[in-house]
Amino acid sequence: MIRKEAELILEIRNLHASVEDKAILQGVNLSIRAGEIHAVMGRNGSGKSTLSKVIAGHPEYIVTSGTVKFQGHNLLELEPEERARLGVFMGFQYPVEIPGVSNLEFLRVATNSRREKRGQEELDTFDFEDLVRERLKVVQMDPIFLERSVNEGFSGGEKKRNEILQMALLEPLLAILDETDSGLDIDALRIVAAGVNQLANPQNATLLITHYQRLLNEITPDFVHVMAAGKILRTGGKELALELEQSGYDWIDKEQNHMEAK
Amino acid sequence: MAVFRQWLDSLPAPNGVLERFQRLGRNSLLNDASPTRALEAWRLTDLKRLEHLFELPLHSNQDVLDEKKLTIIPDKPGNGLRITLDSDCDTSDSLKLPPGIRKLNALELEAHLGNSLKSCSLNCDWPVAINHASATQVLGLEIQGQDLPPLELVMEAKPCALSPTRVILILKEQAKLELLQVAIGAEEAAQSHLIEIHLGQGSELQHGWLGFGKHQSSLLVNMAITQEARSNYFITAVQHGWFLARMEPHIVQVHGHANTTMRGLQLATNQSQIATHSSIRFDGPEGSLDQLQKSVAAEKSHCIFNGAIHVPRIAQKTNAAQLSRNLLLSERARIDTKPELKIIADDVRCAHGATVSQLQEEELFYLRSRGIEATTATSLLLKGYCQEIFNSLPVEANRWERLITLLESMQA
Amino acid sequence: MSSQNSLGELVSQPYKYGFVTEIETEKIPKGLNEEVIRLISAKKEEPEFLLDFRLKAYKQWLNIKEPNWAELGYPPIDYQDLVYYAAPKQTQKKNSLEEVDPKLLETFDKLGIPLSEQKRLSNVAVDAVFDSVSIATTYKEQLAEHGVVFCSISEAVSEYPELVEKYIGKVVPPNDNFFAALNSAVFSDGSFVFIPKGVQCPMELSSYFRINSGDTGQFERTLIIAEEASSVSYLEGCTAPMFDTKTLHAAVVELIALDNSSIKYSTVQNWYSGDEEGIGGIYNFVTKRGHCKGKRSKISWSQVETGSAITWKYPSCILQGEESIGEFYSVALTNNLQKADTGTKMIHIGPKTRSTIVSKGISAGNSSNSYRGLVQMGPKASGARNYSQCDSMLIGDKAAANTYPYIRSNQPKASIEHEASTCRISEDQLFYLQSRGIGFEEAVSMMVSGFCRDVFNQLPMEFAAEADKLLALKLEGSVG
């Protein structure tokens, strides 16, 4: 949903970032308003996953220049947990398995820390269980997964559903979904996509990071950005994704060569 | 070691059911070399702390304050059986034992004592000799049948003394038992514990060990376990708070065809040195081992793990897996770990692994990206790390509040 | 199924380098004392500092006990019953290959290491060592054009005494261990490599060691120095004739890598291993150590160990320079009554140092094959990482595979990861290959070579094929 007057949630300006001394992002500009769904597409190594990690505050990624504003906050000077409490959520491409830590306890601690920030009261074990059971429906998850350790022994699809469950509980303002479609069969993909669609509303925004068109068949983006060599090369509507699907990414090389020739 | 001589001289004259062991132990202490750093098995042990053992008398004049006891020892489990071992007197005399659990008589003790030790080649092991030399009491139980109440053995150190305790358990064919041992340390005190367990064919033992040490308290534990075919042995040991703790579970699958599961957690803080030296030998084919040993070393502590697996030629189709996972939380702490595999049979599957690191960055980030504060995330991860081991303790272990406190206090 | 039996036969392959070269040899009398050391030093016309070095090492040796922790179980060695210096009789130092005794050249031809200008290996410079002396070094002039020094250590002592004095015994001090002390006292020859600042050595360097005399100990010493931003790849090979007595070989290899330099040291060890009853063979006690002294320096050891009655060696890296890298890639194959105790030590001293260990042990017959390694993270090794993988393969039910990985850490910001497994060639796998028309022998050798692939990939191109052949050769024979 594009509304010109909607609140600016995320504003990225000339962002440069590197990992292990290797420059990955080389000047990214991106603005996201409430209610919008954006998709960033690009080949492996284009920097799209790095973008999501930098927004979430992964310690290995070093921002060398540029700014990231989130509802007016300077995101770059905040710890990852502070960003999460403000409403930044990143769905991991490879959700981490944490043996021994109960999924239910993890979800409760996380949910309460976000609630505290929003001035809502802390939920005790019982109230939280009620809430979590209700939200489980969003992703059609079996409550049995609450009893297990965080992501441990989950299949690829179960892990991704657990990510969306966390999103449903944390009610973020900006949900970044990093390659959420990777490793999912079509049924699991539909469940996950339905979850995302259900959670999207005029107050929040979604940023999808993906390689393929097939996720965008399920979640319709308002904007599609194509990334290459650490920059956003082109921006368009959902038709840009379809164009990519047909012509592949080869035109990027041409365009880049062309730019370099200039 | 002059103290060592004096200590030997201070022991009472050999007598009672353990007489032959007392002689054996004293002889071997006199004649065999005591541990030095040159010996591989003792290379990492703080020998000064070990020596301190011999400065302690066998009897204590002080008693543990009652209120102190109350805070630490929970009520005995409703349907369970608790025996508190005392190094000076036989505490099991007045006990009413449920059907299926029976005390071994003097003749039976004579017949069984030392057999498992011999199978595990522990006769002349130095910590065993200390127990031999000093123990005057032994608790011997025969276990028969299933659906038995859980058995709890509590070993409480006497302040400013060395308390030797000894136990032998014989599980008859098809018997099934849950056993929880709890060792509680005291100021300036040391404990030497020796347990022999024989698992008959098709029997099963869930063995839990809780070691709650104190500052300046030491513990030497030797376990000699023999498993007959089709028996299942599970041991989960948690050690915390000792100045010096050295636990040595030795297991022999006498005819193979048995299952052994080992779980261990060493939580070392302050200046603790906590060590586990485990060994298992498969004297027959188709045995299995699943071992996970964890250590957490914080502050100025030192954790040691040495895990020997011996698969001789006869042990074809053995399946053994060992994993040593270690968390090093401070720059002044230290971790030493050494798997030790000797394999001669060719048709076997043996895998082992070891890791030493801090908490995983990725796990921390994952939790923080969900809004959980760094310190909370750290303690959640530490708890999770320990929980994996706690989960395999016998259920009764959860009544011990120290365990809960331990979890709650978990912080990097 | 008989496949396990035939596997056993497969690995019992006669040793093909067992011939003796009939050549007149100059030997000093048996035994070891100060006089013998002075005699060796005098024969080699050595400067004072080296004689002092030897004598000091000898005194230290007298006070060190022979190690027995590896439980190799060999009968005591009578160190007074050995000859400590033997050299093929040649009148004067040779200036060119034409002057070298043709019998020696023929020997190396037979070993597949032709030295003469027409036949020599292209793009590999070879230093050929026969018993106690280096007899020829190829491509010396071409290397000199790049400033690379590649010669025998004796030659280096007379030509570059200041370099030798500066570096010898610095990585492996004479009192490091019993065999290093012995070597330091009596070493005869070996190779010397010096790569000056900024030079990438234009060709592979190789030393070939040949023991010929039966009762002679071989004590070679190798010293490789890579200055800032230089690199070199070095390979050693070794064979010996079949004698029914044991021969002692105690070498020392020292590597020094300065800032941004890299040294790759590869070994294909095929000393005579003794017969099926364990008679004869080489006792191989070797101390190899590299010092990554400079920032971002790298030392990589690769070894293929197939020979010797007893192997005792732990090529190690001292990782001192920030971000320096140590690597150890090893294949050890033992058969009959061979015993190998080998592995590595990775001592992480500097921050962000990294090490990788990949060890593959294959035990057949009645042999015993042990991996013994140490990974140590010192207090300053913040951000250091180690990854180790040690796999064992057993062929037959009488062979032993032991693994002793020692791990010690003092540094919370360092991470160590060790993985190990033991397996055998499964009948299912063999059957699968055979059912696709692959012969039994070939199937076994495919499996073994697959098992060792990670290590072979690390060997220089020219020698990877040779190593593969060597293993195949050991596994070749009649299918029962």
Side-chain angles (χ1 to χ4, degrees), chain C residues 133-405:
Chain C
V133 294
S134 162
I135 57 158
T137 310
T138 61
Y139 290 110
K140 255 166 97 170
E141 298 75 25
Q142 288 88 330
L143 288 168
E145 283 167 24
H146 292 83
V148 171
V149 179
F150 179 41
C151 62
S152 72
I153 194 126
S154 310
E155 208 176 321
V157 168
S158 66
E159 304 284 321
Y160 315 96
E162 64 296 334
L163 277 177
V164 175
E165 188 173 5
K166 184 172 171 192
Y167 288 110
I168 198 165
K170 295 301 186 305
V171 184
V172 180
N175 62 353
D176 187 80
N177 66 68
F178 182 82
F179 297 107
L182 180 62
N183 174 289
S184 301
V186 303
F187 73 89
S188 37
D189 217 334
S191 301
F192 176 84
V193 176
F194 177 80
I195 316 289
K197 213 169 177 170
V199 172
Q200 318 298 309
C201 187
M203 59 177 86
E204 301 275 346
L205 306 184
S206 168
S207 289
Y208 197 89
F209 297 98
R210 172 72 178 172
I211 294 179
N212 197 53
S213 311
D215 53 357
T216 307
Q218 173 133 345
F219 306 95
E220 86 264 1
R221 184 138 195 143
T222 298
L223 180 56
I224 300 179
I225 302 147
E227 283 204 326
E228 289 85 350
S230 69
S231 74
V232 62
S233 169
Y234 177 93
L235 183 121
E236 60 171 7
C238 7
T239 56
M242 295 194 277
F243 289 111
D244 52 9
T245 52
K246 304 283 187 200
T247 311
L248 176 67
H249 171 252
V252 169
V253 174
E254 297 177 282
L255 314 181
I256 295 131
L258 302 182
D259 286 4
N260 298 305
S261 67
S262 100
I263 301 174
K264 186 178 177 67
Y265 193 109
S266 316
T267 303
V268 175
Q269 187 262 104
N270 190 21
W271 296 118
Y272 178 53
S273 59
D275 67 9
E276 287 116 82
E277 269 86 53
I279 294 168
I282 305 280
Y283 285 170
N284 189 30
F285 298 101
V286 176
T287 307
K288 288 181 165 172
R289 195 173 301 155
H291 184 183
C292 283
K293 202 171 176 187
K295 286 181 185 162
R296 290 174 298 279
S297 56
K298 175 177 174 183
I299 288 178
S300 177
W301 298 100
S302 346
Q303 59 174 26
V304 177
E305 302 280 319
T306 61
S308 298
I310 284 176
T311 298
W312 180 98
K313 68 181 275 201
Y314 316 92
S316 304
C317 296
I318 298 169
L319 301 166
Q320 184 185 27
E322 199 170 326
E323 291 183 56
S324 58
I325 297 174
E327 293 175 340
F328 174 75
Y329 297 95
S330 169
V331 165
L333 170 67
T334 54
N335 192 12
N336 296 325
L337 291 162
Q338 274 181 282
K339 285 179 176 167
D341 197 281
T342 184
T344 183
K345 288 193 269 187
M346 292 291 174
I347 312 292
H348 291 253
I349 297 173
K352 295 191 191 163
T353 47
R354 278 184 290 148
S355 65
T356 305
I357 299 171
V358 178
S359 160
K360 307 277 177 178
I362 304 152
S363 352
N366 283 298
S367 71
S368 144
N369 198 329
S370 301
Y371 170 81
R372 192 184 301 272
L374 169 70
V375 175
Q376 184 170 343
M377 297 293 179
K380 295 203 176 105
S382 165
R385 286 176 171 276
N386 158 267
Y387 173 74
S388 311
Q389 192 193 336
C390 308
D391 298 325
S392 310
M393 181 183 266
L394 288 144
I395 298 179
D397 65 354
K398 282 175 278 199
N402 307 323
T403 315
Y404 309 99

Side-chain angles (χ1 to χ4, degrees), chain B residues 334 336 341 343 350 352 354 356 358, chain C residues 401 403 408 412 416 418 420 422:
Chain B
R334 193 173 131 190
D336 279 278
L341 279 80
I343 299 165
C350 288
H352 71 271
V356 184
Q358 281 181 304
Chain C
T403 315
R408 157 172 298 187
I416 303 173
H418 171 96
T422 302

Side-chain angles (χ1 to χ4, degrees), chain B residues 228-273:
Chain B
E228 297 275 356
R230 295 186 312 283
S231 64
N232 293 308
Y233 177 63
F234 303 86
I235 175 158
T236 303
V238 175
Q239 296 273 48
H240 171 70
W242 304 95
F243 188 49
L244 172 76
R246 184 180 164 108
M247 173 170 257
E248 302 187 35
H250 299 279
I251 298 160
V252 174
Q253 295 192 357
V254 290
H255 299 114
H257 291 284
N259 300 313
T260 309
T261 307
M262 303 175 82
R263 295 284 178 268
L265 175 64
Q266 313 189 117
L267 283 168
T269 49
N270 292 321
Q271 302 195 42
S272 273
Q273 185 182 69

Side-chain angles (χ1 to χ4, degrees), chain B residues 40 43-44 313 316 328-331 333-358, chain C residues 4 71 379 390 394-424:
Chain B
E40 180 58 33
R43 196 167 51 91
L44 300 165
R313 195 175 162 192
Q316 292 292 0
L328 184 59
L329 299 181
S330 140
E331 295 200 351
R334 193 173 131 190
I335 299 263
D336 279 278
T337 179
K338 190 184 85 176
E340 208 182 302
L341 279 80
K342 297 185 185 185
I343 299 165
I344 295 182
D346 60 338
D347 188 8
V348 298
R349 278 168 52 190
C350 288
H352 71 271
T355 59
V356 184
S357 64
Q358 281 181 304
Chain C
Q4 293 302 311
E71 292 164 30
C390 308
L394 288 144
I395 298 179
D397 65 354
K398 282 175 278 199
N402 307 323
T403 315
Y404 309 99
Y406 295 63
I407 293 170
R408 157 172 298 187
S409 183
N410 270 116
Q411 171 49 257
K413 292 203 180 76
S415 82
I416 303 173
E417 207 177 317
H418 171 96
E419 276 181 85
S421 72
T422 302
C423 67
R424 68 163 180 173

Side-chain angles (χ1 to χ4, degrees), chain C residues 72-93:
Chain C
L72 292 166
Y74 55 93
I77 300 169
D78 183 354
Y79 291 92
Q80 296 305 335
D81 194 35
L82 286 175
V83 174
Y84 287 87
Y85 184 84
K89 254 193 193 140
Q90 301 189 30
T91 35
Q92 274 291 309
K93 202 173 156 185

